[in-house]
């Protein structure tokens, strides 16, 4: 039977910024969750309701310093994976996390554990991902992002299209009917090829995304 009950909103309006700052400070200072919550006149549920939307608080609850540089990277990665799991495009999930899709790619290549999690979420969302036929059109902003990815030399047209959430077919259709777009696309492809050739003998040997 189909579930018809509206989902519970995962939001918390019980922790204001001043109380939240005190809570994090107490956790950083070594207070237990019970002690910190009581001192801030919060219930445990108040705190736990806040956690899904507050990576720094989650990190503090784990006993680590949420303001450390490496912890900031962990927070961004967790936000990215959470948004990706909800169905956002890779580029949009990266932007929601305050980073870029190219940085996400580098993290996935450099950190095997994050790479495994990243690929696992991609597989998880494949079942309910929006089909290419219903993805966004090649609007000017997405076109510029498409050209930038192609010029980097790390992406083919299919890979770049997937990265920014547009259908590959939409790119080819736009190329057929828009001479100016076709010229820019060809220029981006040529610059991408030049970038790959320039890096062929250097340290950057990253494969092109299909």
């Amino acid at each position: 039977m189909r579930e018809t009950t509206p989902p519970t909103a995962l939001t918390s309006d019980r922790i204001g910024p001043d109380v939240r700052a005190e809570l994090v400070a107490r956790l950083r200072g070594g207070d237990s969750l019970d002690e910190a919550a009581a001192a801030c006149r919060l219930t445990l549920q108040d705190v736990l309701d806040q956690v899904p939307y507050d990576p720094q608080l989650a990190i503090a609850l784990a006993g680590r310093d949420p303001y450390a540089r490496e912890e900031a990277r962990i927070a961004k990665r967790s936000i990215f994976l959470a948004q990706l799991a909800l169905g956002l495009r890779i580029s949009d999930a990266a932007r929601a996390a305050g980073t870029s899709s190219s940085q996400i790619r580098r993290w996935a290549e450099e950190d095997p554990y994050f790479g495994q999690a990243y690929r696992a979420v991609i597989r998880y969302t494949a079942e309910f991902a929006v089909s290419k036929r219903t993805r966004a059109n090649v609007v000017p902003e997405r076109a510029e992002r498409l050209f930038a990815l192609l010029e980097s030399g790390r992406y083919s047209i299919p890979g770049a299209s997937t990265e920014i959430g547009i259908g590959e077919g939409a790119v080819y259709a736009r190329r057929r009917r828009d001479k100016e777009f076709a010229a820019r696309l060809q220029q981006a492809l040529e610059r991408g090829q030049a970038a790959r050739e320039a890096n062929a003998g250097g340290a950057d040997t990253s494969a092109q995304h299909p």
Side-chain angles (χ1 to χ4, degrees):
M1 180 180 295
R2 183 177 179 180
E3 177 62 58
T4 58
T5 304
T8 301
L10 297 177
T11 59
S12 174
D13 57 2
R14 302 189 183 184
I15 301 183
D18 293 339
V19 175
R20 184 259 189 200
E22 181 183 355
L23 178 64
V24 172
R26 288 182 175 278
L27 291 169
R28 290 182 71 199
D31 283 6
S32 68
L33 171 57
D34 292 352
E35 293 170 337
C40 295
R41 296 181 176 83
L42 298 169
T43 68
L44 294 182
Q45 194 60 51
D46 290 335
V47 178
L48 295 176
D49 286 347
Q50 179 82 9
V51 168
Y53 297 93
D54 196 332
Q56 285 186 329
L57 177 57
I59 289 170
L61 285 173
R64 305 193 307 273
D65 183 356
Y67 302 121
R69 179 176 297 180
E70 180 56 31
E71 300 297 346
R73 297 193 190 101
I74 292 174
K76 288 184 177 182
R77 295 178 196 187
S78 70
I79 294 171
F80 168 77
L81 291 174
Q83 298 303 312
L84 192 65
L86 290 173
L88 264 67
R89 291 180 290 267
I90 293 172
S91 58
D92 291 336
R95 291 169 72 180
T99 187
S100 64
S101 54
S102 59
Q103 179 63 70
I104 293 294
R105 297 282 188 184
R106 284 195 292 273
W107 284 340
E109 292 169 359
E110 295 167 359
D111 183 340
Y113 299 108
F114 175 72
Q116 289 174 14
Y118 170 63
R119 290 186 290 274
V121 174
I122 290 292
R123 291 194 298 270
Y124 166 70
T125 57
E127 182 177 343
F128 57 86
V130 177
S131 69
K132 290 183 178 180
R133 293 191 301 276
T134 59
R135 286 184 176 177
N137 293 324
V138 191
V139 296
E141 180 183 358
R142 293 185 185 277
E144 290 302 322
R145 290 163 62 193
L146 173 72
F147 298 145
L149 290 177
L150 293 174
E151 288 175 1
S152 73
R154 291 170 55 83
Y155 291 85
S156 63
I157 290 178
S161 300
T162 299
E163 182 77 10
I164 63 177
I166 60 178
E168 178 186 350
V171 175
Y172 295 126
R174 177 73 178 273
R175 181 174 65 177
R176 288 193 297 270
R177 67 174 185 271
D178 186 335
K179 292 182 178 180
E180 182 178 352
F181 177 85
R184 287 288 309 279
L185 184 66
Q186 183 60 36
Q187 181 184 61
L189 290 170
E190 291 174 355
R191 288 179 176 176
Q193 179 62 34
R196 286 192 294 276
E197 292 174 355
N199 289 327
D204 185 359
T205 57
S206 301
Q208 183 186 43
H209 293 287

